[in-house]
Amino acid sequence: MKNYTTDQIRNVSFLGHRGSGKTSLVEALLYRAKVVAKPGIIEKGNTLSDYDEEEITRQFSINTSVISLDYQDKIYNILDTPGYADFRGEVLSALTVSEGAVIVIDASAGIEVGTEKAWRLLEERNIPRIIFINKMDKGAINYKKILTELKEKFGKKIAPFCIPLGEGEEFKGFINVVENKCRIFTGDLCEDRPLVEHEDFESVKNLLVEAVAETSEEAMEKFFNGEEFTHDEIQQGLRKGVVNGDVVPVVVGSAIGGIGFQTLFEMIYDYMPTPVESKGGEVIGINPDTKEEIIRKVDMQEPFSAFVFKTIVDPFIGKISLFKVNSGIATKDVEVLNASQNKKEKLSNLYFVRGIKQRDTERVVAGDIAATTKLPYARTGDTLCDKNSPIVYGQMKFPRPCIFMNVIPTKKSDDEKISTCLQKLAEEDPTLKVIRNSETKELLIGGQGKTHLEIVLSKLFNKFQVQATLSKPKVAYRETIRKEVSVQGKHKKQSGGAGQYGDVFIKFEPLYDKEYEFVDNIKGGVVPKQYLPAVEKGLHEAALKGPLAGYPVINFKATLFDGSYHPVDSNEISFKQAAILAFRKAMESGASPVLLEPIVKMEIIVPEEYTGDVMGDMNKRRGKILGIDPLTYGEQKISVEVPQKEVLEYAIDLKAMTQSKGRFEFEFLKYDYVPNEVADKVIEEARKDKEDK
């Protein structure tokens, strides 16, 4: 389809709980479009969508796959997203470029956590959606119960477009209420059959007619006058309701059983908005030079602009950038501006992606999704555009890491390589963070959960042949003093010829509003000014290792108030050593050193029924509850201050405590005193570590 236009495109994300059958449904659509001879099977590892080695091994989606289809002169870009909560960032990037969505539900499981999360994401972004109840041919299915639960959870937007004919093993097809016909499975695909009588037909039809009546004043008037709507009026009215987000169609089927996906194919095109219809057909950005707002129309005649929504790092091909053209047309071998980086890039190749496969193309029009390779500067979230019409689109917001772990290479020789490779994987996954902690000497990776981090390590091995393990990170404790003390530090060394002499009197006292302060209170030049920097340097050096467990000493004030020097033997080294001696003496003779631990502030969001459990658990972790605020969707936000040591693996614990319904964010707040019983253990562990070394 070389001359296709924007109105022929539908960009749709498939969302749902893990195991609901999203990938199998994509395979069914590929089969219907005659892209594949037969649908791939997840258990056999031969699907187009889940092609990553980790996905094949684990048998669930980890990455968002783009499946580009042209079927019956229509363009479908289906974004198959992971259902596992640890890969929420993949879902968010897919929704950035989607005008519509399909929520897939496992009929045998009903509404699951992933279903609710998918609905909320779409509601927050006002994205039109269709609900596909999958696996209608499995187990004991109660369609009416699922429908009732959908209405209770999601409100009166829910509109059944189908009535199943049989359930479980008896499921053989359905009545399409909008089209007034049946679709019956004949052994390969479904065939259209005449309408059969069903006790629920009239009530369901009336629900849809009422939904049509709500779409305009004219339709409402016609409804109250008792006039019947034509088939076209019903379809157009329902489409308007779906596009506006007022109606959410519910259809049924079985991806593996071969039922319902043709209807879904048709409904995606008939009911999901085109790129021009979504958000008024406009995309908002800013001029990178003037910072003024620019409104760009989703139109082929506009200057070219595109948004990079996903990056894939391939050890053989290099970097693959997936992008959506927001305006104009992308063509091969054209130099464009990466306005986010203020760098020029060349689109040396263009192709449509179909999971692991790709199809070369000469052009990509406004509203379509494609990929290119080897853009040296492009990163996820960047804007590519015409050099003469610069524009930058807003960055995507990804969830911050909620768990950090230490990465230990199996081979010590891989230490440098592992850091470089992890940075490449972080380019691919914006929810992954890589930190080198200079204090603890650990390489930390942060992500959305333990499974997320384990899969990162598997990718590290599969893509770069670097093997590593995970361990709980060390806590960066601190030490401080609680009492004021004045001491003398005297360094005197004579070994023939010029000696060394430095003598200082320093008062140490607790400081609560900042980490460190040095005060020069010398009178009469008893310590010459040229030696003051050396004194301060000595204090800095000595404070790096505290007397209790070897952690840095903070929150103290050091006042140099007296001393003496020798006109020949004094020098900077002597006064530096004198300061170090003074510091150590103070720690040993009355400054009363104590251990400090990092305190983090957490915002934990959980359904109301889990609030008591979470608060009780936080009390056990020495947490201090700051407040509870009610949110939408029956959730509560619990604000807590808690020692970092107690929540290093909280992401795992909260998931178990709330059946994956809870989430949280945290940030460092302050250092505070460690209780004696905890401090004793930390000091003992530090002593053992020192002995082991």
Side-chain angles (χ1 to χ4, degrees), residues 6 99 243 273-284 295-300 302 324-328 366-367 393:
T6 301
E99 285 80 45
V243 170
T274 69
V276 175
E277 291 173 306
S278 180
K279 299 175 184 175
E282 295 177 340
V283 193
I284 298 173
I295 296 175
R296 194 64 61 82
K297 291 185 181 298
V298 182
D299 191 309
M300 293 163 61
E302 289 269 304
K324 180 183 182 183
V325 178
N326 282 339
S327 62
Y393 296 114

Side-chain angles (χ1 to χ4, degrees), residues 463-509:
K463 289 190 173 187
F464 305 105
Q465 289 72 55
V466 178
Q467 210 159 9
T469 56
L470 294 172
S471 70
K472 194 184 288 190
K474 293 177 184 176
V475 175
Y477 290 98
R478 294 286 186 270
E479 299 179 25
T480 192
I481 59 174
R482 300 188 76 167
K483 292 182 180 177
E484 180 183 316
V485 63
S486 294
V487 295
Q488 179 187 17
K490 190 171 186 178
H491 175 70
K492 186 176 181 182
K493 190 175 181 183
Q494 197 72 39
S495 57
Q500 292 182 4
Y501 184 90
D503 180 24
V504 293
F505 287 81
I506 302 175
K507 180 172 74 173
F508 294 89
E509 54 191 311

Side-chain angles (χ1 to χ4, degrees), residues 367-474:
D368 208 352
I369 291 170
T372 188
T373 58
K374 299 177 181 176
L375 297 183
Y377 308 108
R379 299 179 301 190
T380 299
D382 282 358
T383 301
L384 308 175
C385 60
D386 187 312
K387 292 181 288 185
N388 298 317
S389 299
I391 187 171
V392 174
Y393 296 114
Q395 284 284 331
M396 291 184 281
K397 289 184 180 179
F398 290 102
R400 289 188 292 184
C402 59
I403 183 171
F404 282 88
M405 299 204 80
N406 178 29
V407 185
I408 306 166
T410 305
K411 296 177 184 175
K412 283 190 176 181
S413 57
D414 283 340
D415 191 51
E416 281 300 317
K417 186 179 179 184
I418 204 171
S419 180
T420 305
C421 295
L422 282 172
Q423 292 292 350
K424 287 182 179 179
L425 291 179
E427 269 192 73
E428 187 175 79
D429 180 359
T431 65
L432 179 68
K433 193 167 186 180
V434 183
I435 301 170
R436 176 71 74 173
N437 190 321
S438 57
E439 184 180 328
T440 63
K441 306 295 187 287
E442 291 179 324
L443 180 63
L444 303 178
I445 55 170
Q448 303 306 303
K450 184 80 177 287
T451 302
H452 183 199
L453 300 186
E454 287 171 349
I455 286 172
V456 167
L457 287 205
S458 294
K459 284 186 175 183
L460 199 63
F461 180 68
N462 292 333
K463 289 190 173 187
F464 305 105
Q465 289 72 55
V466 178
Q467 210 159 9
T469 56
L470 294 172
S471 70
K472 194 184 288 190
K474 293 177 184 176

Side-chain angles (χ1 to χ4, degrees), residues 19 67 69 92 137 156 168 179 248 272 309 335 383 406 479 487 535 551 565 572 616 636 646 674 686:
I67 304 294
L69 292 169
L92 295 175
D137 54 351
K156 60 182 183 180
E179 301 292 336
V248 177
M272 293 290 95
F309 69 93
E335 192 175 70
T383 301
N406 178 29
E479 299 179 25
V487 295
V535 173
Y551 291 103
Y565 74 101
E572 290 182 355
Q636 302 271 0
E646 305 292 339
V674 182

